[in-house]
Amino acid sequence: MRWVVVETPEALAERAAERVLADLEARPTLVLGLPTGRTPLGVYRRLVEACRDRSCFARAQTFNLDEYVGLAPSHAASYCQYMQRNLFDHVDLPEEGRHLPDGTAAAVRRLHPEVGRERALRLECVRYEAALAAAGGLGLTLLGLGHNGHIAFNEPGSPFDSRTRLVELADSTREANADEFGSPEAVPRRGITLGIGTLLESRSILLLAQGEGKAEAVARLASEQVDEDFPASALLRHPDVTVIVDRAAGAATTTPP
Ligand code: GLP
């Protein structure tokens, strides 16, 4: 695990965007794993900027890490709409290169109208994992870090060999994500997430953490204790992880990484 500590969130976004662009240049058919949340917004802004007058994503594919169960892709608070607003609407990534799990499993339900909702959602997880495998698996994956160490929607206790599946969201995750919904109670209780095992198969991983709210989680990761109660610690087992933190997120890390 390589550590990069930068001064500001802007510098963090710059470093991460540079890495994405360099990898895209080296491999135009790159398969990117993409997160949502506040952390990657600056990265997406820079990618949009960089792709204003040149082609970056024409042959690439993206797979989002997660989605809320119950929200249609058209729902304003869905991760699908987040991606449209913040990246897809502004870059040359073809529609067929954009992949997200569907929290309503609409395509599965159209194909198999006889199956119930729960089974359709489980089949959607299988469909998504298979689509990723058909694309050749993840090349470069960007990850944010939850306060409780979650990566994607893999909450504490997630098995390190887990695959794409339905999960219950932790209360702290629903609180952290309440802004888009008005209140924590309005945040869906479940998500579809790539599993930790799926994420660990990514060729390279960039974990991003910014702000003092993440300082404790960053310090726990830097302590290098591998523990299923702290999902991000699974990354300690991966051969090519770069962690980029800003000064505030690195503040509680006493032993400099
Ligand atoms: C959310 C998302 C994750 C994201 C994380 C951190 O719940 N499902 O993919 O990385 O929490 O979010 P933020 O960057 O807003 O702190």
Side-chain angles (χ1 to χ4, degrees):
M1 185 170 275
R2 280 184 302 279
W3 287 77
V4 177
V5 183
V6 295
E7 278 308 313
T8 61
E10 290 73 28
L12 178 146
E14 193 65 49
R15 289 293 281 264
E18 271 168 17
R19 170 67 190 272
V20 173
L21 291 168
D23 281 23
L24 277 170
E25 202 163 318
R27 189 191 287 259
T29 56
L30 184 67
V31 177
L32 283 160
L34 294 182
T36 49
R38 293 172 199 88
T39 310
L41 287 173
V43 185
Y44 295 150
R45 265 198 300 276
R46 278 160 182 79
L47 292 177
V48 168
E49 193 68 30
C51 298
R52 192 144 284 160
D53 33 46
R54 65 182 165 112
S55 164
C56 300
F57 291 95
R59 297 169 60 205
Q61 297 199 63
T62 62
F63 281 81
N64 267 80
L65 307 180
D66 44 20
E67 181 58 283
Y68 292 107
V69 165
L71 298 195
S74 58
H75 191 290
S78 70
Y79 286 158
C80 182
Q81 288 303 308
Y82 168 107
M83 292 309 297
Q84 297 290 353
R85 280 194 305 273
N86 295 301
L87 188 69
F88 296 161
D89 283 350
H90 316 286
V91 296
D92 61 335
L93 177 70
E95 212 146 304
E96 61 276 14
R98 313 166 181 178
H99 306 270
L100 283 111
D102 178 347
T104 58
V108 172
R109 295 178 86 179
R110 267 196 307 275
L111 262 177
H112 303 285
E114 73 286 0
V115 305
R117 181 173 186 269
E118 280 305 303
R119 184 149 161 68
L121 286 167
R122 283 201 298 278
L123 288 172
E124 170 63 7
C125 298
V126 174
R127 182 201 67 78
Y128 197 61
E129 181 90 24
L132 176 57
L138 295 164
L140 174 65
T141 299
L142 273 59
L143 294 176
L145 179 65
H147 296 100
N148 59 3
H150 76 226
I151 47 176
F153 271 148
N154 293 284
E155 299 285 15
S158 295
F160 284 179
D161 61 357
S162 49
R163 314 303 303 186
T164 303
R165 67 200 190 290
L166 293 165
V167 289
E168 300 278 332
L169 305 184
D171 290 345
S172 63
T173 300
R174 295 176 66 226
E175 268 158 42
N177 294 357
D179 280 0
E180 296 82 51
F181 295 90
S183 73
E185 297 73 49
V187 178
R189 294 185 174 277
R190 295 193 299 166
I192 294 178
T193 185
L194 291 184
I196 295 184
T198 320
L199 295 171
L200 288 178
E201 286 169 9
S202 183
R203 198 170 311 117
S204 305
I205 294 176
L206 266 192
L207 177 73
L208 310 175
Q210 66 189 36
E212 58 184 343
K214 300 291 169 68
E216 217 173 292
V218 168
R220 189 160 170 193
L221 180 63
S223 75
E224 295 188 340
Q225 300 299 309
V226 178
D227 182 350
E228 282 193 352
D229 277 337
F230 188 69
S233 68
L235 303 175
L236 291 157
R237 296 194 173 152
H238 189 283
D240 183 8
V241 177
T242 304
V243 183
I244 312 181
V245 299
D246 71 356
R247 194 55 70 192
T253 305
T254 40
T255 326

